[in-house]
Amino acid sequence: MSTFDAAPTALIVHAHPEARSFSTAQMTTTAQTLRDAGYRVDVLDLYSDAWAPVLDRAEFAPVEGHFKPQAEQQRAIKDGTLDATVRAHLDRLLAADLLILSFPLWWFSLPAILKGWVDRVFVMGGVFGGDYGLFGDAALAGKRAMLLFTTGGPSESFQPGGALGAMDDFLFHIHRGMLEFVGYQVLDPVITYGPAHLTEQDRAAALETVREAVAARTETAARSTVH
């Protein structure tokens, strides 16, 4: 088996509307760090790709009676009628050893376009349910996931007792309710606090911190992945 065949794959799903943003710079720094560590890196830029985030009945075969999205997802998986774009994204998700969600923290959660990606691509019957279970029995068990994001406020605001509350509280529904739910082992997030308030020198230093943090979190994953 060649070195290329043995390389782990990382899928970065990026959700920021500005190509010159710190969030985008943080994503590209992460992608290069992973390449340097031996990963094959696949990037989905949701805004650039004009991803449609709304899960509705139009992407499924005609439905008689009440529309139940997850039931239709499961039926589409079974019948081979899943929307072609969703199928392509699902295949890229399933092929990745590491998933990174890259985004700015908006209203203490994911931007709508990224949440819609989860709604449409974390398909029932494809990553959980149907032939799969939940958590350790889901389709993505044994793979890893990580959040890579920026905030508007400073780090002290997100500490226990801080003005906004503990960051872990805001991330629980993503870590547990999305990523662990479909089987991922969740790595510690990489967060840059308040980049809009940093000088150019500080932003450069922050990107170096991101590089170091990503390398530290993923080097064990790269070593332990077996194909």
Side-chain angles (χ1 to χ4, degrees):
M1 181 177 294
S2 70
T3 301
F4 181 82
D5 289 336
T9 298
L11 174 64
I12 302 176
V13 184
H14 180 60
H16 198 291
E18 175 52 65
R20 297 168 296 178
S21 67
F22 183 88
S23 178
T24 301
Q26 180 169 263
M27 181 274 289
T28 57
T29 295
T30 295
Q32 188 58 53
T33 301
L34 291 170
R35 292 186 188 102
D36 291 344
Y39 281 82
R40 288 176 283 174
V41 178
D42 182 11
V43 177
L44 285 170
D45 188 330
L46 299 183
Y47 279 99
S48 178
D49 293 344
W51 172 260
V54 178
L55 171 64
D56 66 16
R57 66 170 64 212
E59 69 183 69
F60 299 102
V63 178
E64 296 292 337
H66 293 293
F67 172 60
K68 299 180 179 179
Q70 289 187 330
E72 294 307 317
Q73 287 180 328
Q74 194 164 355
R75 181 161 71 106
I77 285 286
K78 181 179 179 182
D79 295 346
T81 59
L82 194 66
D83 175 88
T85 301
V86 173
R87 178 76 254 182
H89 282 223
L90 175 59
D91 289 344
R92 290 162 78 172
L93 177 70
L94 293 173
D97 304 291
L98 171 67
L99 171 67
I100 295 179
L101 301 182
S102 168
F103 59 96
L105 192 72
W106 286 354
W107 293 106
F108 305 108
S109 189
L110 305 176
I113 196 170
L114 181 53
K115 176 53 166 61
W117 184 83
V118 173
D119 289 346
R120 295 184 67 200
V121 179
F122 279 26
V123 178
M124 187 170 186
V127 296
F128 74 101
D131 293 334
Y132 304 104
L134 308 177
F135 300 105
D137 294 320
L140 298 167
K143 299 175 182 286
R144 297 169 174 85
M146 187 181 79
L147 303 182
L148 172 73
F149 65 95
T150 59
T151 71
S155 60
E156 55 266 25
S157 296
F158 290 95
Q159 302 301 317
L164 299 175
M167 178 62 79
D168 285 348
D169 293 343
F170 296 119
L171 300 184
F172 180 81
H173 76 287
I174 306 172
H175 280 167
R176 186 63 174 167
M178 299 179 199
L179 300 176
E180 291 180 359
F181 189 82
V182 298
Y184 283 114
Q185 175 190 341
V186 177
L187 305 178
D188 289 340
V190 175
I191 310 169
T192 300
Y193 291 93
H197 306 292
L198 300 178
T199 65
E200 285 302 312
Q201 182 177 359
D202 289 339
R203 286 161 67 92
L207 288 177
E208 178 60 20
T209 298
V210 167
R211 187 194 65 76
E212 293 172 355
V214 170
R217 283 160 177 70
T218 59
E219 62 180 353
T220 300
R223 286 199 306 267
S224 63
T225 299
V226 177
H227 289 261

